Amino acid sequence: MTVKKTSVLVLDCAEPHDLALFYARLLGADAQVGQEPDLVEVVGGAGVHLAIRRDHGYAPPSWPRPEHAQQAHLRIIVDLADLDEAEREAVALGARPMSTGTEAGPYEARLFSDPAGHSFTIAAAVWSV
């Protein structure tokens, strides 16, 4: 018998409530504080489930600079027709566009950093969302 499993991506940061609200608004989900006050979960429809954890010694990743690893990367999938609007929403909520220096012309995946410095991509689906 196989045990039913699920997974949750946990992002570390200095202010988990603020970052959880950023992702909750961006993903149309809810931020939920559990029994552990330094861990906030973001849960919503369409399989959204991630957690934000306070790290008192947090230092943001420096990726795409080569001296440090990326640490984690969230990929948010949208319909191609919604890509520009999704980018506007992310920036309005506090995301910062990033560049790896390899992009050229129109592209179907856009790289950002969240307010705590984690990288994430908004990308066009190859299937219907």
Side-chain angles (χ1 to χ4, degrees):
M1 175 179 191
T2 301
V3 175
K4 184 177 178 180
K5 298 174 183 76
T6 188
S7 63
V8 177
L9 174 66
V10 179
L11 298 175
D12 290 346
C13 70
E15 298 296 333
H17 295 91
D18 295 342
L19 192 59
L21 286 176
F22 167 80
Y23 278 111
R25 290 176 181 149
L26 181 64
L27 299 170
D30 295 312
Q32 302 173 349
V33 179
Q35 294 178 348
E36 185 181 338
D38 286 342
L39 184 73
V40 182
E41 292 190 59
V42 178
V43 181
V48 172
H49 194 171
L50 67 119
I52 314 297
R53 184 186 72 89
R54 183 180 315 276
D55 177 350
H56 294 283
Y58 177 72
S62 64
W63 187 87
R65 293 190 309 239
E67 64 271 13
H68 292 87
Q70 186 171 329
Q71 295 183 8
H73 182 89
L74 181 62
R75 189 169 184 90
I76 299 168
I77 308 297
V78 300
D79 283 326
L80 178 58
D82 296 328
L83 190 58
D84 291 337
E85 181 62 24
E87 178 175 14
R88 286 189 290 274
E89 288 176 3
V91 171
L93 290 169
R96 295 176 302 279
M98 295 177 65
S99 173
T100 61
T102 60
E103 301 90 0
Y107 49 101
E108 296 176 357
R110 309 204 180 147
L111 181 64
F112 301 90
S113 65
D114 69 23
H118 304 103
S119 63
F120 71 94
T121 300
I122 298 176
V126 293
W127 63 89
S128 294
V129 177

